[in-house]
Amino acid sequence: MNLAWLVAVLEPHEVAINSSSPDDSYDVSGPARLATTLLGEMSRTVRLSELPEPPDGDVVVLAGRCLATDSIESAVPELGNRLLGSDFSDAAEAAALSLVLSSAATELDDFDLSIRVLDRQLANLGKPRRPDDALVRGALLQQKALRQYDIGRLDISVVAEVVSLLANLDARSCSQFATGPATRKTPEAIIETIRRNLLEAADSVLPFQSTILEEAGLPSWQERRRQGWSSIAARIDAKNAREYSRYVKQAFEDKFRRSNTITFGRTSPDIFYGLLALELLGHAGARSARGELALFRLTQDGRAMADVADALRLLRQASAKTELESILNHLYVSGPLAALSRDGRQILAKRASQDTLSVLEMQVLKTAADLFAPSEARIGLDGVLNALKSGKAISAPGSSEIPVRQNEIAWIAVASLANVCQAHDEAALFLLSETVKHVEEDVDRTMSRALSQLEWELVSTKVQGRWLDFITNYSEQTRGIAEVMHARFGMSVPEPDASPGIHSLVYALNNVIHGGTVDDDLVENALPQIVDSLHDIRRRAASGAYTFGGVDYGDIAVALIVNCTADQLWQPLADFLLDFRVLQEDRKGAFERLARSNLVVPDEIAARFRENAVRLVSAPGPSMSDEPTLPFPPAVRFLGAYRLIDEAELYFALAGLAGSSNVKSRREAAVTLATLARHSSHEYLLPLALPLTGDSDSDVRANAARSLTLLSRSGGVLATVAMKRLEEVLDDDGVLTPVLALKALKDQPLILPPAFRAKLVSLGRDHPSRLVRQEAIKLTSRAEGTSEILPSSGDA
């Protein structure tokens, strides 16, 4: 047995090619070439490329292909078949290649192949008869332990065997092997380092309170740290530090170098090989290293789509829930959608057929559902349902969230996938059974979010009735669910019993907003409370006292004016909104609702706002934000929509927001332009909106595109420009921009040029997002004055 093969994987520095000391006879050996490949260091790989071409089928070349993005999908099955289909003459070689295969298969979410290969090599090795066998078996078992840990199925007995094999292994009794020309370590010292690193890896996957190592006579983790057991951690940290330093240097050059100098041979910094070392060792530290690698890549400009897709996989396998949610939302909204689609389909292909789907895999499926064909969504739905029904859904390790909160992602995934594969009744009934099961666990809020994703208009009347019966019987525990039901398909739901005063009013207002009738007595009785509450907020603000969160009384007052003709609230509302001691946050909701509405402001109230317009925009009063956005966007929207501010002042405010280097200000500018365009076509809105459609931020682009659809009604040259630019922004690689633009167009008189109609037909047929396709089809049918539905992309 040539242990150099195992060393090539677990301590590659000790047997790798040394470019400064070339030795043809040594450098062509399999272990030397494999170690060099796994280190990924340019100086060594240049020397590797100078060696004679290896024969066809060379296993080291095949292992190297398993590490490359463009060949991993074909190389992993090929190497897997080699390891499963034939016995290698050298068990150490087979073990080394199995470790490489296992790490690469993890990148493809193929844990089944990984564990099958490891089990095959363990069976071939059999019961250890020599120290070499014990070392090789320990490495294979520890790799299996990490893969079990990854899928939430760790068998502690596997780790216990690793410890028993290696705890008292004498490195001096292992076989000698050829070391690299640059190392000063003896084979015994190298084996001892590997032994210690494997024991550290075993400890890393064990529960914190486990005493398996101490029971085997090994030092505690505190003692091991003091004794400096681990060498791999320090080496990885040093390697990563060099890459971080290179990253900062390149970022500096890109930002401050003014010349157009081209640097040949420049490569992107990466910390992949540090992660690879932990993966090959079977160390649980690989999980956090995956997340670090994902963030490292995502923060670099110009990364390929495949890198972005792999970053999703890394974040999933790192259990980095918050970061994964952020990047998923970003990709869905602004693209590249291909990266989201690729990772989602990898989960469908490799993980959905298992009953061990993780919560984070479900998180990807729920976000990517809109990009799946119906048949694919069905596979995903079955996978989520099976995992939930079997009780084997995997939570993020170390998560402190209550089970119901963890289930929320799975429930939303059920609704999202069911929409695509037309399983609305099935999903509604399953979610009802989950609600019944958890009704005493404060499930209302989490289940409400899941139910809001379901297309209730396609749920049968019979199933809707079952939900209504349940809500009637549990009205106190299902207030949020009841509101979702009413908002989504207008079904009459019972008002919660004993609902406190203001909450009862809010419920009634929502009912009116969704088409219900006004309860005049309830409104009449609530008005004094609203007036008193507005006055109380002003009184406390005058003394510098503020409250956080709670009921937005200003917004409620406007809702009463808009929906219940409570004109007697105008005076106290104006006093409240023009009190510059009141927090901006307390007045924001009222200004926003006013800007969205079409009201006739009483003359005396309008005069007060005109008189205070400049101050309201430029010096609106205190804010809880360290850096509040100025001019105050909600006030700009309200004053501009009702023409209560001088045109020059309005333009100055808009230009300040649109031209800001702060993305938050530009987002507010785009929203403001879209809001103002609904009320009137100020001649300067379109020139301000056009540049924002090319902004780097998706929210800015989307809202600017929405304003284009409204401003294109004005006619003339600029309207032609607006329509031409709108046609271009519909190609935005995300969902938000085309959806907002198409929805805005849907509400406008349609006189569309032929080129734009062709664009709509193309979107309805080919866009990867089901939501965009649906909106484009609706708009095309309306533009053609027909109810004909264009074909979708089906299962393509």
Side-chain angles (χ1 to χ4, degrees):
M1 185 182 297
N2 184 4
L3 290 180
W5 281 104
L6 192 65
V7 174
V9 176
L10 301 182
E11 282 291 295
H13 280 89
E14 311 301 350
V15 295
I17 292 170
N18 185 357
S19 56
S20 60
S21 304
D23 181 342
D24 289 348
S25 61
Y26 177 82
D27 293 351
V28 296
S29 68
R33 291 187 295 115
L34 179 61
T36 301
T37 300
L38 297 178
L39 285 173
E41 296 175 357
M42 185 176 294
S43 61
R44 298 178 192 267
T45 52
V46 168
R47 166 62 182 159
L48 183 62
S49 66
E50 297 170 349
L51 296 174
E53 193 74 21
D56 292 340
D58 181 79
V59 289
V60 174
V61 173
L62 183 54
R65 288 177 53 217
C66 288
L67 304 180
T69 302
D70 59 351
S71 56
I72 184 172
E73 292 188 3
S74 61
V76 165
E78 184 178 348
L79 181 57
N81 289 335
R82 294 276 291 272
L83 291 166
L84 288 170
S86 61
D87 295 332
F88 282 72
S89 59
D90 191 323
E93 179 186 8
L97 294 170
S98 297
L99 299 184
V100 175
L101 179 282
S102 178
S103 175
T106 297
E107 294 190 39
L108 301 178
D109 285 295
D110 200 344
F111 295 98
D112 178 64
L113 175 62
S114 173
I115 292 175
R116 283 194 293 120
V117 166
L118 294 170
D119 282 343
R120 174 61 184 270
Q121 300 312 316
L122 287 166
N124 289 345
L125 193 61
K127 185 177 180 179
R129 294 187 176 88
R130 300 170 299 167
D132 290 8
D133 298 336
L135 183 67
V136 171
R137 184 173 180 84
L140 289 168
L141 285 169
Q142 184 51 41
Q143 183 67 204
K144 180 178 179 179
L146 177 61
R147 301 313 157 197
Q148 290 179 330
Y149 184 79
D150 278 334
I151 59 174
R153 297 291 178 263
L154 177 61
D155 183 350
I156 298 297
S157 66
V158 173
V159 189
E161 185 178 352
V162 174
V163 175
S164 67
L165 287 169
L166 302 180
N168 298 305
L169 179 70
D170 186 352
R172 294 170 297 182
S173 63
C174 291
S175 301
Q176 297 289 302
F177 54 87
T179 59
T183 187
R184 296 182 179 180
K185 288 186 177 180
T186 63
E188 293 82 359
I190 295 170
I191 294 302
E192 175 61 16
T193 297
I194 291 175
R195 182 185 80 91
R196 289 188 172 194
N197 286 342
L198 285 170
L199 288 169
E200 288 280 358
D203 192 30
S204 73
V205 299
L206 288 170
F208 181 74
Q209 67 273 19
S210 175
T211 59
I212 288 178
L213 273 75
E214 286 81 356
E215 291 170 2
L218 295 167
S220 66
W221 69 268
Q222 297 96 329
E223 293 171 325
R224 293 197 302 274
R225 178 171 292 181
R226 285 196 295 270
Q227 295 171 12
W229 266 45
S230 179
S231 63
I232 191 169
R235 189 165 69 243
I236 290 172
D237 286 346
K239 189 180 185 73
N240 288 353
R242 290 194 294 272
E243 292 301 297
Y244 275 109
S245 177
R246 198 157 69 90
Y247 170 61
V248 171
K249 183 178 180 181
Q250 288 191 9
F252 175 85
E253 291 175 350
D254 292 342
K255 184 171 183 178
F256 295 107
R257 185 175 55 198
R258 291 183 176 274
S259 67
N260 293 323
T261 304
I262 298 176
T263 304
F264 293 98
R266 171 167 152 167
T267 58
S268 297
D270 205 10
I271 55 175
F272 166 75
Y273 288 96
L275 166 61
L276 179 62
L278 292 170
E279 297 277 13
L280 295 171
L281 184 63
H283 197 294
R287 295 182 71 85
S288 60
R290 293 167 192 162
E292 187 177 2
L293 174 59
L295 299 183
F296 189 79
R297 287 179 171 176
L298 288 170
T299 52
Q300 295 181 52
D301 293 332
R303 300 299 299 200
M305 183 279 295
D307 284 343
V308 178
D310 194 53
L312 291 181
R313 188 270 308 175
L314 287 164
L315 290 173
R316 284 194 284 107
Q317 294 179 354
S319 296
K321 180 181 177 182
T322 301
E323 293 81 0
L324 178 63
E325 185 173 10
S326 296
I327 190 60
L328 284 173
N329 291 338
H330 174 82
L331 292 177
Y332 183 75
V333 165
S334 60
L337 291 176
L340 176 58
S341 173
R342 175 169 171 166
D343 192 54
R345 286 183 164 88
Q346 179 163 304
I347 294 171
L348 293 178
K350 300 296 185 181
R351 301 288 300 136
S353 61
Q354 310 295 318
D355 61 359
T356 56
L357 267 179
S358 75
V359 172
L360 299 187
E361 288 165 339
M362 296 179 191
Q363 194 169 5
V364 175
L365 291 180
K366 79 175 179 65
T367 308
D370 191 43
L371 309 178
F372 296 152
S375 58
E376 294 173 321
R378 182 70 246 186
I379 293 171
L381 179 61
D382 288 340
V384 175
L385 292 176
N386 289 339
L388 288 172
K389 290 175 181 176
S390 68
K392 295 180 180 180
I394 306 170
S395 302
S399 173
S400 59
E401 288 183 323
I402 60 174
V404 168
R405 179 67 184 88
Q406 293 181 349
N407 285 341
E408 180 184 352
I409 291 173
W411 293 337
I412 295 177
V414 168
S416 301
L417 292 163
N419 288 338
V420 179
C421 64
Q422 302 293 303
H424 301 90
D425 277 11
E426 180 183 356
L429 288 172
F430 176 79
L431 294 175
L432 177 58
S433 69
E434 291 287 280
T435 308
V436 172
K437 184 192 306 183
H438 299 285
V439 71
E440 301 300 333
E441 303 173 28
D442 191 22
V443 73
D444 184 50
R445 184 177 301 177
T446 51
M447 184 55 75
S448 294
R449 286 192 277 266
L451 293 174
S452 68
Q453 300 299 310
L454 193 62
E455 295 173 345
W456 281 98
E457 66 275 11
L458 297 178
V459 176
S460 69
T461 304
K462 180 179 179 181
V463 174
Q464 289 181 16
R466 291 184 60 176
W467 266 102
L468 180 58
D469 291 341
F470 171 75
I471 293 169
T472 303
N473 293 328
Y474 291 91
S475 60
E476 191 63 30
Q477 297 99 321
T478 58
R479 294 177 182 172
I481 292 174
E483 289 199 17
V484 168
M485 296 294 169
H486 185 75
R488 290 301 177 191
F489 57 90
M491 69 181 287
S492 176
V493 293
E495 182 179 344
D497 295 333
S499 182
I502 192 63
H503 295 289
S504 182
L505 175 63
V506 169
Y507 187 90
L509 277 172
N510 285 332
N511 185 53
V512 173
I513 290 170
H514 295 305
T517 58
V518 178
D519 185 338
D520 293 329
D521 291 338
L522 179 64
V523 172
E524 189 67 28
N525 293 332
L527 292 180
Q529 181 184 358
I530 300 299
V531 173
D532 289 345
S533 298
L534 294 176
H535 178 74
D536 187 56
I537 295 172
R538 294 179 59 205
R539 179 183 56 77
R540 285 185 280 109
S543 62
Y546 304 107
T547 57
F548 307 100
V551 178
D552 191 338
Y553 287 99
D555 189 28
I556 293 174
V558 177
L560 285 167
I561 294 172
V562 173
N563 298 284
C564 305
T565 62
D567 290 343
Q568 57 268 54
L569 287 176
W570 268 116
Q571 192 65 49
L573 177 65
D575 293 339
F576 177 76
L577 295 178
L578 292 171
D579 191 333
F580 294 96
R581 298 167 299 184
V582 176
L583 286 174
Q584 295 178 36
E585 288 78 5
D586 285 339
R587 294 177 287 159
K588 175 182 177 181
F591 279 129
E592 296 285 21
R593 190 176 293 275
L594 283 169
R596 294 194 304 268
S597 305
N598 291 302
L599 295 171
V600 177
V601 181
D603 291 342
E604 65 276 15
I605 302 299
R608 293 183 62 188
F609 280 115
R610 285 195 187 93
E611 183 180 347
N612 291 277
V614 174
R615 182 182 177 189
L616 194 56
V617 166
S618 59
S623 170
M624 296 309 301
S625 172
D626 292 333
E627 296 182 2
T629 302
L630 291 176
F632 185 34
V636 174
R637 289 192 271 275
F638 163 63
L639 295 169
Y642 290 89
R643 295 186 177 273
L644 299 175
I645 185 172
D646 180 77
E647 290 283 299
E649 293 291 347
L650 177 60
Y651 181 80
F652 184 76
L654 290 171
L657 292 170
S660 175
S661 60
N662 186 318
V663 67
K664 182 180 176 182
S665 295
R666 299 198 306 277
R667 287 174 184 168
E668 294 286 5
V671 171
T672 304
L673 290 170
T675 301
L676 297 182
R678 289 181 62 246
H679 291 269
S680 61
S681 298
H682 298 272
E683 61 182 12
Y684 47 77
L685 295 183
L686 186 55
L688 285 173
L690 283 169
L692 293 179
T693 60
D695 197 89
S696 59
D697 181 76
S698 58
D699 285 329
V700 176
R701 294 197 306 272
N703 282 289
R706 185 159 63 101
S707 66
L708 286 189
T709 65
L710 300 165
L711 295 168
S712 62
R713 300 170 301 177
S714 59
V717 176
L718 286 183
T720 303
V721 172
M723 188 59 70
K724 185 175 181 180
R725 178 61 184 144
L726 188 58
E727 184 180 339
E728 294 175 344
V729 300
L730 287 175
D731 287 326
D732 192 89
D733 189 9
V735 172
L736 184 62
T737 297
V739 163
L740 286 189
L742 292 170
K743 283 181 177 292
L745 274 172
K746 189 170 62 177
D747 298 329
Q748 305 305 312
L750 289 182
I751 304 176
L752 301 178
F756 197 88
R757 291 193 183 193
K759 169 62 70 176
L760 292 180
V761 171
S762 174
L763 286 176
R765 183 184 60 241
D766 301 327
H767 198 279
S769 166
R770 169 177 169 266
L771 181 58
V772 175
R773 293 198 303 271
Q774 287 178 333
E775 291 299 327
I777 289 170
K778 291 176 186 176
L779 190 59
T780 305
S781 298
R782 177 170 170 248
E784 295 176 351
T786 175
S787 59
E788 178 184 354
I789 302 297
L790 298 175
S792 70
S793 59
D795 283 358

